[in-house]
Structures are given as structure tokens and as C-alpha cells.
Amino acid sequence: MNCIIVDDDLFYCKTLQSFCERLDLNLLGVFSDPVKAMGILSEREDIDLVFLDIHMPDISGFDILKSNPKLNVVISTMDETKAIEAFDYNVVDYLLKPVTLDRFIRAVNRAKERLSGNGNSASYKETPAPNASDNTNPKEIYVNVNKRLVKIELDNIYIIEAKGDYILIKLIEGKNQVVHTTLKSIMSKLPENIFVRVHRSNVVNIKKIVDIEDSSILINKEVVSISKTYRENLLSKLNLIN
Amino acid sequence: MKILYIEDDVIDQKNCQIILNQKEDINLTVVDQFEKAFDFISKEKIDVLISDQRVGMDHFKDHWHQFLGIPYFIVSNSPDENLNTLLQPPLQLFQKPFQVEHSDNIVKKMESLKAEPNLSYAENITEGAPDLLTEMVFILKSQFEEGIDKIPYLYEKKNTEELIQVVHKLISKFSVLSMSESFSFFNRVEKCLRDQLTLNNFAYKRLVTDLQEGLNFINFYIKQHELHNS
């Protein structure tokens, strides 16, 4: 299996390189500079697998994924908050640093399965990896709850609240969900004409609003405050008769 | 251990003082307002903060970054479990009244936070390849040295973007050294910087202190195992 490593951190380049050698993978190159990696990715078509970091200077791992939607990629990062976004690009696996050899082997096995056609690559090869920003009207969202990807219908959400490292997704029906991510991150996945920030800690589904007062909103029998900063934006999204 | 206690109830203050003063190595200061705690930590270094939930938590929710890197405990008549979801959660919630058992827990918890670094991760992944281990240990050493050099400079220059990159790169290195407290702390600092919140002096100094602690261990390891950079 031909592979390359793209990581600006020398320590992890060495780590992944030693893992590749142990598994007899054919390592074509190790790139601490993502720009150079983009170069080789555009030149060669025989790269089976890329071990890719997310946070790098100038170009992020996601930029590489966007430009190369057909690549088989194993993400290797210390950022646990980007997993859902990464799986939107149909990555093979998502490894958290520091990566262990056992976990690396499992990721390579998944890649082998996909390359041999036994993995979930069929639909992937036929259609490019979905890009959240292209998907303007999603009906649902998948969130990672205790290592399970749980589907939530967007129409069932009425408020999303920031809770430190987590968000609380309040649902009209069913149990509310606590997810390890940020408001900013989940908002990038939601239709911006429907989900609107009304406070530093709150996003509301405007379809569920009952009424709006000066500094508060009644939504699904719950009152939430609107801060001045976000009020104008909220009003601009509503179908107002002046 | 220097403890700052925020409590506006005089009886609770007295009770806590009596219990904590029984411990020989505890130096306790009590303030009755959160704002006074701000003033105090801007002038003096403390090891632990204990706060009454009612007096403290609204402030913690809005000003958590001001206390970044300071371990804290909450005491309350009805401890709020939701506090555990804060970006910097309390180490433990105690039901009032404050008791001897609570002070024992604080001491134990603080002991458990003391880092005992090791290089087991690097040893495991380089098993049978001593040259690679040496190479990786020296890479770690240079990254810690770079962090110690760069962080004060970038902090002073208010170069947040580059500071985030330096901090980000070092976070998982604390995990490599099994320094879990430093790992969590650096993680919070990165989030704080990305949210454009100003670091308090305590947090900034702790960045360097934790790095120095890691570097001291790496240097000790190099000497102990007689490693040489080729």
C-alpha cells in the first residue's frame, strides 16, 4: 500500500513513519509542509492512503480533503472536536495523538478493506465526499454521543445551548442530547436561515419561536434571552410585517 | 499549600478555617467577595481555590479564564452537577458543611495532580530501535525548549495566532510524557486563546512552569539513559 504522511510536527512524523515501517507500508514521502504535499497529491495517482494532520500552518488538513475528495485519508490529530466534520469527508479513520500502534493497525486495516472494496467506499467512489457548506438544506444532523453517531432531525431541535466544552441540544420530542463540540462548530453544519444565534450561549430554531419581546424569546414554552449584539441579525431572518 | 477560600457566610468561613488550619502545610486566606479573589490572585500565587457555589459560580461561568490553571473546589448546600460541564470544571463538589473529610480529599486530589512524567509511550513505540528512541527524545527536548523560549516572547508581543500554534503543538506532548494535568491545562489555554479571551498572568506563568517541568524530566531521562544526540 502506497502512503504518505502530512504533518508539521516532526515528533509525529517520526512516530507514524516507524509505524509504517513496522507494517511494511510503502511510504512514498513524509511532508511537514502541507503545500508540498498538495504538490505530490496533484502529480501522483498511485497514493493509496494519506495520514493527515488537521491543524497545520497555512493549509489545514480540511483544505487538503476539500481539494482531494477521492483520497483515502486517516486523520491523525490531537483535536477531538473535528471528528464529525472529518467523517463528512468520508475519511477512513480518525486517530487521536499520541497515536498507539494498535490503533494505527486498526486504521490501516480499515483502509485495506476500503481499498479492496469491502469497506464503505462504494458510495464514496461514486459521489464526492459531502461538503457541509455545499449542503444547504440538510434535514438532519449526526452527532457523536458516547462514541455513537446519533441522528437528530433538525425540525426536532428548538434550542442549542453552549455548556463549556459541550453543547446541549434541546429537542421537542425525545431526550435532549449533550455533545462534545462548540456552538460555532455545530452552526457550520446547520442551515443559517433557520438556526440563528441569539446569545453568546444560545442558538434557536426560528421556526419554533412563539413570540419575541425586547430581550427575550418564547420558544417551546421556554424563555431565552436575546443579547443586543444578535437581535438585529435575528430580526433580519424573520418574515416581518412592519 | 496556599488556599484561597471565597465565602460570604461568616459561620462557614470559621468552620472551614478551623478544619483547614489543622493541616500543617496549609496556608489559608479567606475573602468574602469574588472581586476580592480577583485582586488577590493578581498579586499572589495560590495553589487551590475553594469557593462557595452561590458566591462564585456566576462569576466562574463568565470569568473562568481569569482562573485558568488554578484548581478549584466548590462547596454548597446543593452542589450543581452541571458545573462539571464547564470548560474548567471544579475538581470536586462538596456538600456543606465543610468537613475534615473534604480537606483530606483536597490534599489527596492535589497530590494526585502532581505530575510523575515518564517516557513509556516513546519507549513502547520505538521498542527494539534505540536510535529512534534517542531521536524522538531529542525532538521532544527541542520542542519543549522552543516553547519555553517562544511563549514569553509571543505573549509579550500579543501574537495570539502564533501563540496558539505553539501551544497546540505542545498539548499532546504532555500526553506523551503522561503529564495529564498539564495536558488539560494547555488544552484549555488553546481554547481560551482561540476564543480571544485574555490569559491571566497566573496561566501564562504556568505555561512556562509546566514546560520547564517537562523539560527537566526529559533532561533527567537523557542523563539517566546516557543518550547522545547524533
Side-chain angles (χ1 to χ4, degrees), chain B residues 101-167:
Chain B
E101 184 195 325
H102 296 150
S103 75
D104 291 343
N105 278 356
I106 290 174
V107 173
K108 272 188 209 156
K109 204 88 183 172
M110 293 308 292
E111 282 293 320
S112 74
L113 294 185
K114 281 185 185 164
E116 287 176 17
N118 64 64
L119 273 161
S120 303
Y121 172 78
E123 286 166 351
N124 288 336
I125 63 168
T126 60
E127 201 180 348
D131 289 349
L132 181 60
L133 174 65
T134 303
E135 196 177 352
M136 294 187 81
V137 171
F138 277 98
I139 291 171
L140 271 185
K141 177 177 156 70
S142 67
Q143 291 181 336
F144 273 73
E145 285 170 340
E146 191 186 353
I148 292 168
D149 281 349
K150 275 190 170 178
I151 285 173
Y153 174 78
L154 296 172
Y155 181 75
E156 195 180 318
K157 296 281 173 199
K158 296 188 168 54
N159 187 342
T160 309
E161 205 170 308
E162 207 175 323
L163 189 57
I164 290 172
Q165 280 178 28
V166 172
V167 168

Side-chain angles (χ1 to χ4, degrees), chain A residues 8-12 14-16 18-19 21-22 53-58 77-81 97-101 163-166 178 180 182 184 200, chain B residues 61-62 64 82 84-87 121-128 132 135-137 139-140 143 165 168-173 175-176 183 187 190-191 194:
Chain A
D8 65 320
D9 189 324
L10 187 55
F11 184 86
Y12 291 114
K14 288 285 172 195
T15 305
L16 296 177
S18 80
F19 289 168
E21 284 164 8
R22 283 202 207 186
D53 186 17
I54 290 179
H55 295 287
M56 294 178 285
D58 304 325
T77 178
M78 61 119 326
D79 189 343
E80 60 188 12
T81 65
K97 292 174 177 175
V99 182
T100 62
L101 181 58
K163 297 274 181 193
D165 264 353
Y166 295 81
V178 177
H180 187 267
T182 58
K184 192 177 171 189
R200 191 163 55 97
Chain B
K61 282 173 185 163
D62 292 336
W64 62 270
N82 286 330
N84 291 324
T85 63
L86 286 179
L87 190 57
Y121 172 78
E123 286 166 351
N124 288 336
I125 63 168
T126 60
E127 201 180 348
L132 181 60
E135 196 177 352
M136 294 187 81
V137 171
I139 291 171
L140 271 185
Q143 291 181 336
Q165 280 178 28
H168 177 80
K169 209 167 180 175
L170 287 162
I171 294 173
S172 65
K173 304 303 158 39
S175 190
V176 168
F183 171 83
N187 235 327
E190 186 189 2
K191 286 193 174 82
R194 286 194 192 279

